[in-house]
């Protein structure tokens, strides 16, 4: 795993993270889930961790949409 935001496979497996959640922001998900378990999932207790994770998810989405837009323009230029 190349990014500093990604946790190792061993860490994710040890914490029982499902495969669907092992993405670009997985290193931020681990402390969020630990905080949630320690505070009995009280929504106001882990706001900082949740905000960091959600921002990472949004930034990753924007990055993927930019890559998709570049691919679409490249494909349309090839067809012309």
């Amino acid at each position: 795993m190349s990014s500093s935001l990604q946790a190792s496979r061993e860490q994710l497996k040890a914490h029982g993270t499902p495969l669907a959640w092992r993405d670009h922001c997985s290193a931020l998900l681990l402390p969020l889930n630990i905080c949630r378990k320690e505070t009995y999932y009280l929504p106001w207790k882990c706001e900082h961790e949740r905000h960091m994770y959600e921002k990472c998810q949004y930034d990753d989405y924007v990055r993927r949409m930019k890559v998709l837009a570049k691919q679409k323009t490249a494909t349309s230029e090839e067809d012309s």
Side-chain angles (χ1 to χ4, degrees):
M1 302 198 162
S2 61
S3 176
S4 63
L5 288 179
Q6 291 179 321
S8 69
R9 290 182 183 179
E10 293 79 21
Q11 289 173 324
L12 294 169
K13 188 174 180 180
H15 286 281
T17 305
L19 289 175
W21 295 98
R22 297 181 187 188
D23 60 357
H24 181 73
C25 303
S26 59
L28 298 173
L29 182 62
L30 296 179
L32 174 60
N33 284 340
I34 291 169
C35 178
R36 285 176 171 167
K37 289 176 186 175
E38 289 174 353
T39 59
Y40 301 103
Y41 289 85
L42 294 173
W44 59 87
K45 292 287 186 176
C46 303
E47 288 178 346
H48 178 70
E49 290 88 350
R50 185 182 51 137
H51 176 71
M52 288 177 35
Y53 178 70
E54 289 175 351
K55 180 164 180 1
C56 180
Q57 288 286 348
Y58 174 75
D59 291 342
D60 186 43
Y61 172 77
V62 170
R63 181 190 57 81
R64 289 184 286 120
M65 291 302 110
K66 286 180 181 178
V67 169
L68 181 63
K70 285 182 183 178
Q71 289 176 351
K72 284 185 178 182
T73 56
T75 303
S76 66
E77 288 175 358
E78 289 176 1
D79 294 337
S80 297

